[in-house]
């Protein structure tokens, strides 16, 4: 069977890596991004850059989206110049963005009314996972549609788990972000404690990585915090959005969630103090500030 015609919309930190891996696997690929320069590397791998989302999606069998937020996905699907009107019946939208699970159900139902299938497939693994093709995909939507497009997902991911119906993938992603953020808050408090006691956090991290506290957050994010490297990565604005999605979902379902609510407040504070475009690991710097630790010296004043 001929390889499906694939479109990819949204070539940011994550989308650029995913699209590159689809091109490397030989899928015929049309790409669109608002900032066309970001397409240069994937075009060098054989993709075709087009001038609009609709142009990319027209005639495609599978359309990947990797966009910042719920309103962006809704706009690209159904807004002015949206892709839903040009897509063929039987085509599949794979949304790798992290967005609201309830809105996802509504978007999937609207597409289904046009005989277009939608999978929510938010991802975990960060920029490195996207570049290496080793993401974890949390998939919501019909199992037969997942089976049909699995070769496309295998180009970007090494873990592909069917979670359940439409929106279930986004629920899993919210669960992922709760776990990662809680882990980061703990690591941030640990680094602040070490600094405040005049102990080298690098040594602390090295020791902790050999024991029960070992985690991806301690490996990657805590190191960046210690080195005060806040180049994204994952922008604070996006992590605030992810925790907002999680907190809103838990408010709807009356889940008791003091940890997520607290982290969300810290992320909001990052945004309100001009740090929306820093890596979200800057939350650790905020904790140091709130602890009276001088950013220049890492010592308690
Ligand atoms: P990003 O801001 O780097 O990229 C988003 C891209 O979408 C940008 O290039 C932007 O130009 C483009 N875009 C926005 N609106 C558009 C539109 N209407 N039409 C076409 N292009 C449009 O964000 P990112 O870090 O790549 O994240 C994308 C999604 O993936 C988010 O939902 C995020 O929460 C999720 N995610 C990110 C990471 C990470 O580590 N960065 C990890 C997992 C999931």
């Amino acid at each position: 069977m001929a390889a499906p015609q694939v479109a990819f919309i949204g070539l940011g930190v994550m989308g650029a890596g995913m699209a590159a891996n689809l091109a490397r696997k030989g899928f015929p690929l049309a790409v669109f991004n608002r900032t066309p320069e970001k397409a240069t590397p994937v075009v060098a791998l054989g993709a075709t850059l087009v001038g609009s989302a609709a142009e990319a999606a027209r005639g495609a069998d599978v359309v990947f989206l990797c966009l910042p937020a719920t309103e962006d996905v809704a706009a690209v699907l159904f807004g002015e110049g949206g892709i839903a009107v040009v897509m063929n019946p039987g085509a599949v939208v794979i949304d790798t963005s992290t967005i609201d699970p309830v809105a996802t159900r509504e978007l999937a139902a609207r597409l289904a009314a046009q005989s277009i299938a939608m999978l929510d497939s938010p991802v975990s693994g960060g920029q490195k996972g996207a570049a290496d093709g080793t993401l974890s995909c949390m998939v919501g939507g019909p199992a037969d549609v997942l089976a049909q497009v699995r070769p496309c997902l295998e180009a970007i991911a090494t873990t592909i788990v069917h979670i359940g119906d439409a929106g279930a993938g986004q629920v899993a992603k919210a669960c992922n972000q709760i776990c990662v953020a809680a882990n980061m808050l703990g690591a941030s408090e640990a680094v602040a404690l070490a600094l405040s006691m005049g102990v080298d956090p690098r040594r602390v991290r090295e020791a902790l990585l050999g024991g029960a506290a070992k985690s991806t957050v301690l490996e990657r994010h805590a190191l960046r915090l210690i080195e005060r490297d806040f180049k994204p990565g994952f922008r604070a604005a996006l992590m605030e959005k992810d925790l907002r999605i999680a907190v809103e979902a838990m408010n709807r379902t009356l889940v008791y969630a003091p940890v997520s609510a607290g982290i969300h407040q810290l992320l909001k504070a990052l945004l309100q103090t001009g740090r929306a475009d820093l890596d979200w690991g800057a939350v650790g710097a905020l904790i140091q500030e709130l602890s009276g630790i001088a950013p220049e010296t890492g010592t308690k004043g």
Side-chain angles (χ1 to χ4, degrees):
M1 212 174 81
Q5 182 71 42
V6 179
F8 206 108
I9 299 166
L11 302 170
V13 168
M14 296 297 284
M18 293 187 224
N21 283 317
L22 285 158
R24 281 189 195 101
K25 291 279 171 174
F27 288 101
L29 183 64
V31 298
F32 171 70
N33 195 62
R34 282 193 308 203
T35 319
E37 302 79 65
K38 289 189 185 169
T40 307
V42 69
V43 168
L45 291 166
T48 306
L49 174 64
V50 297
S52 71
E55 211 181 318
R58 193 186 303 276
D61 301 301
V62 178
V63 179
F64 278 88
L65 306 180
C66 189
L67 302 167
T70 307
E71 50 275 20
D72 301 305
V73 173
V76 166
L77 289 174
F78 295 109
E80 203 184 319
I83 65 174
V85 287
V86 302
M87 286 182 69
N88 293 332
V92 180
V93 172
I94 303 179
D95 181 23
T96 64
S97 327
T98 303
I99 69 166
D100 184 76
V102 175
T104 291
R105 284 182 192 152
E106 290 163 6
L107 294 170
R110 281 181 75 182
L111 287 171
Q114 290 180 230
S115 301
I116 298 167
M118 176 170 171
L119 298 177
D120 45 306
S121 179
V123 296
S124 179
Q127 185 174 21
K128 182 168 168 25
D132 296 348
T134 56
L135 292 168
S136 175
C137 290
M138 302 154 230
V139 185
D144 59 331
V145 175
L146 171 58
Q148 182 191 330
V149 300
R150 191 174 266 274
C152 296
L153 287 174
E154 282 170 351
I156 65 163
T158 42
T159 303
I160 301 164
V161 181
H162 185 227
I163 310 286
D165 295 338
Q170 296 294 356
V171 173
K173 176 69 188 189
C175 295
N176 183 79
Q177 297 305 73
I178 293 166
C179 294
V180 171
N183 201 341
M184 184 61 189
L185 195 60
S188 299
E189 290 178 8
V191 170
L193 172 62
L195 288 173
S196 72
M197 299 288 287
V199 169
D200 185 349
R202 286 178 184 77
R203 292 291 182 87
V204 174
R205 173 179 166 276
E206 189 185 332
L208 266 53
L209 281 174
K214 182 178 160 74
S215 69
T216 304
V217 162
L218 198 61
E219 269 170 28
R220 292 191 202 161
H221 301 69
L223 181 62
R224 295 183 65 177
L225 169 60
I226 291 167
E227 291 177 346
R228 299 190 82 79
D229 169 13
F230 300 129
K231 179 176 167 288
F234 187 45
R235 292 186 291 119
L238 292 177
M239 192 53 158
E240 186 278 329
K241 176 255 311 176
D242 287 5
L243 263 292
R244 181 163 22 95
I245 288 170
V247 168
E248 281 172 4
M250 290 187 283
N251 284 342
R252 276 189 217 114
T253 51
L254 302 180
V255 171
Y256 177 66
V259 172
S260 300
I263 298 167
H264 184 227
Q265 292 295 319
L266 281 165
L267 289 162
K268 277 202 304 188
L270 270 189
L271 270 49
Q272 292 307 315
T273 52
R275 290 177 266 194
D277 290 324
L278 295 187
D279 188 80
W280 75 283
V283 80
L286 180 58
I287 285 172
Q288 290 173 27
E289 265 169 55
L290 295 170
S291 312
I293 294 167
E296 307 78 28
T297 59
T299 55
K300 202 156 166 73

